[in-house]
């Protein structure tokens, strides 16, 4: 059984709070607004992270151990989240995708996006099987853009060479009904592997759930869907 190489994105959130500077009143008097004697106050900018879940909250939405196949245990080195603060949004890296990222945890990065402004992830594994889960929250309509990018990746990575056995990998992808606001499933297979890999990306509002599974004789399809469904049901609450 082939295990995907692990490439967990560990982000250290060490940003200090932004200092709020108060407007000081100097020796000059307040400027009158239309003769009323009151100062005009600028409109407060909308917080682009408003309504998004933090990494701490997303961590609670991850599927519990009961949603994973028996025999798999939590891998401590694969657990990470962005904590209670939001990260700075990163733009999309354009160009040909690195198809080998589809074999790793945090495979959402194959879309060209490093991830959301908040995230949480972990993985469960045995010696022969692995199931990984991640949730990323994005500002604005970026989550929809991520899903579009993943559909493009499926076409561009229809065949590629894997990193472990240097074997030819075939990728098939299709839209998946009944999972979140939209979902896309990709299946990786190779004549050199004992079992394939199923990848599911599902959007729920501004969040994108990504699951990777090699567990089970069905290329990981059933276990990937179960974990994805469990996460989405929690995000809806």
């Amino acid at each position: 059984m082939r295990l995907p190489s692990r490439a967990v994105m560990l982000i250290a959130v060490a940003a200090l709070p932004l200092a709020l500077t108060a407007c000081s009143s100097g020796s000059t008097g307040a400027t009158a607004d239309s003769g009323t004697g009151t100062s005009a106050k600028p409109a407060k900018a909308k917080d682009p992270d408003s309504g998004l879940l933090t990494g701490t909250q997303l961590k609670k939405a991850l599927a519990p151990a009961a949603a994973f196949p028996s025999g798999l245990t939590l891998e401590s080195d694969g657990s990470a989240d962005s904590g209670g603060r939001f990260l700075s949004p990163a733009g999309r890296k354009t160009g040909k995708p690195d198809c080998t990222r589809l074999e790793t945890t945090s495979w959402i990065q194959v879309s060209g996006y490093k991830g959301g402004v908040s995230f949480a992830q972990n993985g469960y594994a045995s010696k022969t099987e692995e199931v990984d889960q991640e949730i990323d929250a994005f500002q604005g309509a970026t989550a929809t853009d991520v899903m579009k990018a993943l559909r493009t990746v499926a076409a561009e990575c229809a065949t590629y060479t894997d990193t472990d056995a240097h074997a030819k990998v075939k990728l098939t992808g299709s839209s998946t009904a009944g999972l979140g606001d939209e979902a896309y499933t990709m299946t990786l297979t190779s004549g050199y592997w004992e079992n394939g890999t199923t990848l599911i990306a599902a959007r729920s509002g501004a969040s994108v759930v990504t699951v990777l599974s090699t567990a089970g004789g069905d290329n990981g399809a059933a276990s990937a869907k179960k974990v994805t469904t469990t996460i989405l049901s929690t995000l809806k609450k």
Side-chain angles (χ1 to χ4, degrees):
M1 177 69 69
R2 171 190 171 281
L3 280 177
S5 57
R6 301 191 62 83
V8 180
M9 179 181 67
L10 300 176
I11 299 178
V13 183
L16 295 174
L18 294 176
L20 299 177
T21 57
C23 295
S24 59
S25 57
S27 57
T28 58
T31 302
D33 180 18
S34 302
T36 61
T38 60
S39 299
K41 294 182 180 180
K44 187 177 180 181
K46 182 180 179 181
D47 181 1
D49 298 321
S50 178
L52 300 181
L53 298 179
T54 65
T56 301
Q57 293 170 315
L58 292 175
K59 181 179 179 180
K60 295 178 181 178
L62 290 173
F68 291 80
S70 60
L72 274 61
T73 57
L74 179 66
E75 295 200 310
S76 58
D77 65 340
S79 300
D81 65 81
S82 54
R85 300 181 185 277
F86 290 102
L87 306 172
S88 298
R92 184 190 178 197
K93 180 181 178 181
T94 58
K96 184 175 175 57
D98 179 1
C99 300
T100 61
R101 283 190 177 275
L102 294 168
E103 305 167 34
T104 70
T105 58
S106 290
W107 61 269
I108 191 174
Q109 294 181 57
V110 77
S111 67
Y113 293 92
K114 289 185 177 180
V117 292
S118 61
F119 79 97
Q121 66 182 109
N122 64 29
Y124 288 72
S126 65
K127 291 183 178 180
T128 58
E129 298 178 325
E130 180 173 11
V131 183
D132 298 295
Q133 59 178 340
E134 180 171 345
I135 314 171
D136 290 84
F138 296 89
Q139 294 178 349
T142 306
T144 301
D145 295 336
V146 171
M147 294 298 296
K148 290 179 181 177
L150 289 175
R151 287 180 169 86
T152 300
V153 165
E156 294 183 291
C157 296
T159 58
Y160 72 94
T161 302
D162 82 338
T163 54
D164 294 337
H166 302 291
K168 184 177 180 180
V169 179
K170 180 181 179 182
L171 184 157
T172 58
S174 62
S175 296
T176 308
L179 292 177
D181 296 317
E182 59 177 318
Y184 197 77
T185 299
M186 291 182 275
T187 304
L188 311 179
T189 55
S190 174
Y192 288 85
W193 301 350
E194 292 183 27
N195 193 33
T197 301
T198 293
L199 307 173
I200 298 179
R203 181 178 66 83
S204 177
S207 297
V208 176
V209 175
T210 47
V211 174
L212 175 156
S213 177
T214 66
D218 59 351
N219 299 325
S223 54
K225 185 174 182 180
K226 182 177 181 180
V227 171
T228 303
T229 301
T230 302
I231 298 172
L232 291 172
S233 64
T234 303
L235 288 175
K236 275 187 175 182
K237 295 178 181 178

